[in-house]
Amino acid sequence: MTEAGVRVPALEDAEEAEKEAGRVSKIPVVPQGAPWTAVERVMFERRSIRKFRKTQVPAHVIRRLLEVARFAPSQGNCQPWKLVVVRDAAMIQGMEDFCVGECRKLTESLDYATMRKGSLKYRVARAKTKVFGRLQPNMLHPVPITACTAIAQGRFAVFHHAPTVILVLMDKRAIGVPAIDIGICGTNIVLAAQSLGLGTCWVGFSKFLNESKEWCAKFGAEDPFEIEEAICVGYPVGDTTHLIPRETHETAWFEGGKRELIY
Amino acid sequence: MGLLTSKERRHFPDWDDPAQCMFQRVTIDLEKCDGCKLCTLACPANVLEQFGPKGAKKVRVKADHRGCISCNNCHAICENGAIRATQSYDFVGFYRRFGLGEFSKPRVF
Ligand SMILES: Cc1cc2nc3c(=O)[nH]c(=O)nc-3n(C[C@H](O)[C@H](O)[C@H](O)COP(=O)(O)O)c2cc1C
Ligand code: SF4
Ligand code: SF4
């Protein structure tokens, strides 16, 4: 009993209440080695799709994706997302062109791998990246820089010529770490899409659009909103559902007073 | 403290140096590969290419490859199980990765 006389209901109370009400739910039994559920299968078979058929996805199917997004968990139920659906090829091409331009600028000033080794430009760029890397280690990670260069050189795309692009805008004022909520919301979309026979690809490079006042105004990505991610949606070229090998990860498991490392 | 040594923490790897940025190679079984080219289309790093004479084409990793992210999208699309990444990409210094184990397909427990 606290001072105010309010008590937080204990777990025992909850189980007791369940019993008293005669509503004790059965604990589901999953036998060892049981086949994967539909949800597990979808998670294993999902790949990022970057080559799409030209066929547009029917509007009602995209509406289904928006619907699962709505029910994503979020910190304090703050739902910090705002979704924007783009289905006009010319508009998607415009977004592509803009982002490619931004990649070119970045590559020209930073990616010393594209410069003549030992030249002044090379040395300046290399020194710059070492400083910026310290300030923005996530952005200057070698993987996105390499991808950015590939985009600048036309060897990689931003929106992968998908028939539908869903932009996921984020309310920067939201609770805690809103980018996590954006990730979860998008995960709902991506997994539901997979279950509907669609292919998707997350596009972090969509953030470049934030550099354009015109695009932002068009999308309603104005303060306190910004474009956090985009998700390309369409029908995949080829059957991409062969199960793949992936890294196992070291996981500490504490039980019975012992610590074990599993993979 | 932390898992990185102070020297590692200060060392930002040169991304044009394959000894510092280890974008791993994929393994291709040329016996199984029928040269269908689908993996080259699926590869996000654009590191695969077709080669060989007409009618007997195969796929290989480009000589100047940079950026394979071990995603195995090539394996996912291959009908013949001819290609797969078996090693993670990794870096020396600041971006060294931790706790990665062997590659494994989804396991049943
Ligand atoms: C938040 C996020 C952003 C991503 N941004 C991009 C992107 O801009 N371009 C791209 O081609 N792939 C992008 N990806 C896809 C990843 O490269 C991909 O998920 C990873 O390589 C694993 O492959 P898989 O999705 O096929 O399993 C992104 C993924 C996530 C989760
Ligand atoms: S998808 Fe498989 S069979 Fe086709 S080219 Fe690639 S490795 Fe060869
Ligand atoms: S693992 Fe991914 S990045 Fe590497 S070759 Fe295969 S598809 Fe390309």
Side-chain angles (χ1 to χ4, degrees):
Chain A
M1 197 72 76
T2 63
E3 262 172 59
V6 186
R7 232 174 116 249
V8 179
L11 182 62
E12 300 86 75
D13 298 344
E15 288 213 351
E16 212 45 53
E18 216 188 12
K19 251 187 238 157
E20 268 170 33
R23 307 229 179 101
V24 180
S25 48
K26 246 175 83 189
I27 292 178
V29 180
V30 182
Q32 239 183 39
W36 292 316
T37 63
V39 174
E40 288 171 310
R41 179 154 282 282
V42 153
M43 289 173 172
F44 290 137
E45 289 181 350
R46 180 211 56 79
R47 293 277 73 74
S48 290
I49 302 306
R50 301 179 181 86
K51 291 290 181 306
F52 294 99
R53 312 255 292 264
K54 288 204 181 69
T55 312
Q56 182 57 285
V57 181
H60 70 273
V61 178
I62 299 297
R63 289 300 299 262
R64 289 174 79 120
L65 303 184
L66 305 184
E67 207 58 6
V68 294
R70 204 155 68 80
F71 288 86
S74 58
Q75 292 158 84
N77 197 19
C78 68
Q79 306 169 25
W81 49 79
K82 177 155 84 169
L83 302 180
V84 176
V85 179
V86 186
R87 283 158 65 82
D88 289 331
M91 190 163 163
I92 295 172
Q93 188 60 48
M95 289 151 58
E96 178 84 19
D97 293 343
F98 179 81
C99 293
V100 170
E102 292 298 300
C103 284
R104 286 210 183 112
K105 278 191 232 163
L106 207 69
T107 298
E108 264 165 36
S109 72
L110 282 185
D111 189 1
Y112 50 87
T114 60
M115 301 166 193
R116 192 166 54 78
K117 215 168 176 151
S119 64
L120 180 64
K121 204 178 162 201
Y122 176 97
R123 280 180 284 138
V124 170
R126 189 165 165 279
K128 258 203 281 188
T129 62
K130 307 275 163 171
V131 177
F132 290 167
R134 234 153 274 217
L135 304 171
Q136 296 223 19
N138 314 92
M139 294 301 168
L140 280 241
H141 189 287
V143 169
I145 288 290
T146 305
C148 193
T149 300
I151 293 170
Q153 296 175 343
R155 292 184 287 108
F156 191 45
V158 179
F159 297 102
H160 309 298
H161 310 287
T164 296
V165 174
I166 302 175
L167 296 168
V168 192
L169 277 44
M170 177 179 85
D171 185 338
K172 290 181 283 186
R173 303 162 307 159
I175 304 170
V177 187
I180 291 182
D181 299 336
I182 297 303
I184 297 170
C185 172
T187 294
N188 273 15
I189 293 177
V190 158
L191 294 177
Q194 180 71 25
S195 77
L196 293 162
L198 296 166
T200 55
C201 189
W202 285 91
V203 181
F205 287 118
S206 59
K207 283 192 231 7
F208 281 127
L209 292 170
N210 287 313
E211 303 301 317
S212 156
K213 277 211 177 70
E214 294 82 61
W215 283 115
C216 286
K218 205 162 185 158
F219 298 136
E222 290 162 301
D223 197 58
F225 282 92
E226 66 184 14
I227 298 165
E228 185 63 19
E229 285 292 334
I231 299 171
C232 298
V233 188
Y235 297 104
V237 167
D239 174 5
T240 60
T241 62
H242 303 92
L243 296 178
I244 62 153
R246 262 288 147 86
E247 291 90 339
T248 50
H249 287 245
E250 178 192 291
T251 305
W253 184 304
F254 291 90
E255 192 169 331
K258 283 205 301 269
R259 170 182 181 263
E260 205 191 332
L261 286 185
I262 60 161
Y263 281 87
Chain B
M1 268 298 288
L3 296 180
L4 293 173
T5 64
S6 52
K7 197 175 155 206
E8 279 178 325
R9 224 169 318 144
R10 270 180 282 120
H11 180 69
F12 281 77
D14 288 337
W15 54 61
D16 57 348
D17 180 357
Q20 295 186 50
C21 293
M22 297 154 291
F23 293 117
Q24 294 304 341
R25 278 170 185 280
V26 290
T27 311
I28 303 168
D29 184 341
L30 291 180
E31 299 271 289
K32 290 188 189 161
C33 173
D34 64 15
C36 75
K37 201 180 150 183
L38 286 179
C39 57
T40 65
L41 297 173
C43 172
N46 199 258
V47 299
L48 303 171
E49 66 180 3
Q50 250 188 344
F51 74 103
K54 227 179 167 170
K57 288 207 185 301
K58 303 274 175 190
V59 143
R60 68 181 171 200
V61 179
K62 286 181 190 171
D64 61 344
H65 86 291
R66 181 161 82 106
C68 166
I69 54 172
S70 327
C71 67
N72 262 319
N73 282 12
C74 48
H75 183 79
I77 206 166
C78 181
E79 293 292 336
N80 302 321
I83 183 167
R84 67 174 61 202
T86 48
Q87 251 186 307
S88 317
Y89 64 87
D90 205 351
F91 308 96
V92 299
F94 182 81
Y95 296 109
R96 177 156 73 86
R97 299 179 77 186
F98 293 103
L100 295 179
E102 297 283 292
F103 274 65
S104 164
K105 284 197 180 184
R107 297 167 291 179
V108 181
F109 290 100

